[in-house]
Amino acid sequence: MPTMANDLLDWSPQAVVFDCDGTLMDSERHWQEARNRAFREHGLQPPPGFADQATGLHYEDCGRLMAQSVHKPELAQDLTNALLDHFLELVTDDPVTMPGAAQLVRLLSVRLPLAVASNCPRVVVEGSLQRAGLLQHFQHIVVPDPGDRVRPKPHPDVYDVAARLCGVRPHRALAIEDSLAGVQAARCAGLRVLGVGRRPPGDGAALADLWLPALHAPEVLAWVDSFKAPGSASEE
């Protein structure tokens, strides 16, 4: 069960694993526009509330969901291809970090090992972080890989692999997420979870230990300042 917020802020992780889209990079808006363009390209309209359903999904899962949502399952592959093509064009033209992301990453990188666990293709994650000047702060980038049996969120695989690559047990790592699918993945992998940004609809945010409006929230910065030097936290 999620712990109380004050317990999270009294705890020090041994590694931090970030989501990318909507957490580090302001790219969720690109995914939304890419979905809209893909729908329009096929003469379709997204159903009401589709953006909330699609947030955080792997693009292949999203393409299938798009087709199902308009009762056109035969268009799943075409919509998936169009979705990725439009997203790559948009994110290349306009890579922007989320408020507070660069500051928090730089503060953490001198204290703890950092990783990224994302549903995006590796080329997108690495390219976006490189253009933002953040890639060098991350020791590991983990994305879904069928060959290595690493499934996309909401499966726990990317978070489990990321924590272990950082050299810590999952329960000693913190996940930072903005989507319900991501929170579910991290929680299932055994990480503690800080949710940021707009709270998801329903009671999904309760799966996170704490949900704050932005990465540069005063509580987050004060918490990071309290972290011990690398290797000084004891195993639980």
Side-chain angles (χ1 to χ4, degrees):
M1 293 295 292
T3 55
M4 296 300 292
N6 62 329
D7 289 340
L8 181 69
L9 298 180
D10 286 338
W11 171 75
S12 294
Q14 292 181 349
V16 178
V17 184
F18 284 86
D19 170 55
C20 188
D21 280 351
T23 301
L24 290 172
M25 302 301 300
D26 188 9
S27 45
E28 185 54 43
R29 60 196 173 95
H30 295 325
W31 281 117
Q32 183 168 341
E33 177 59 21
R35 291 191 293 265
N36 291 339
R37 290 185 182 185
F39 274 126
R40 289 196 301 267
E41 193 173 286
H42 289 80
L44 303 167
Q45 289 290 329
F50 185 80
D52 286 331
Q53 297 176 47
T55 298
L57 291 180
H58 186 266
Y59 73 94
E60 292 179 342
D61 293 332
C62 186
R64 286 191 288 268
L65 182 62
M66 291 169 70
Q68 293 167 7
S69 73
V70 294
H71 310 292
K72 300 279 187 181
E74 69 277 10
L75 291 180
Q77 192 59 55
D78 290 342
L79 285 169
T80 298
N81 293 341
L83 171 64
L84 184 58
D85 287 345
H86 287 303
F87 175 76
L88 290 173
E89 178 184 356
L90 290 163
V91 77
T92 298
D93 290 343
D94 186 24
V96 177
T97 57
M98 293 297 290
Q103 179 185 11
L104 183 60
V105 166
R106 289 173 182 136
L107 285 172
L108 283 168
S109 67
V110 298
R111 292 169 166 83
L112 300 170
L114 303 184
V116 172
S118 175
N119 269 353
C120 274
R122 181 176 298 275
V123 64
V124 173
V125 176
E126 292 184 348
S128 297
L129 294 175
Q130 181 67 52
R131 289 189 292 273
L134 297 179
L135 182 61
Q136 70 270 22
H137 295 290
F138 294 96
Q139 285 74 43
H140 305 286
I141 307 292
V142 182
V143 300
D145 186 340
D148 289 336
R149 298 183 180 179
V150 179
R151 299 167 296 175
K153 306 170 192 177
H155 296 289
D157 304 21
V158 290
Y159 274 109
D160 181 67
V161 171
R164 296 186 186 281
L165 285 173
C166 286
V168 306
R169 296 177 182 177
H171 77 280
R172 294 299 304 154
L174 173 72
I176 302 184
E177 266 287 352
D178 76 306
S179 73
L180 179 56
V183 171
Q184 290 172 329
R187 177 63 65 188
C188 189
L191 283 74
R192 301 180 78 171
V193 185
L194 172 64
V196 295
R198 186 172 69 89
R199 293 174 69 91
D203 58 1
L207 290 172
D209 293 280
L210 176 63
W211 203 285
L212 293 173
L215 293 173
H216 58 352
E219 300 97 318
V220 175
L221 299 180
W223 185 36
V224 171
D225 281 339
S226 75
F227 286 173
K228 298 176 181 178
S232 63
S234 60
E235 282 287 333
E236 291 181 355

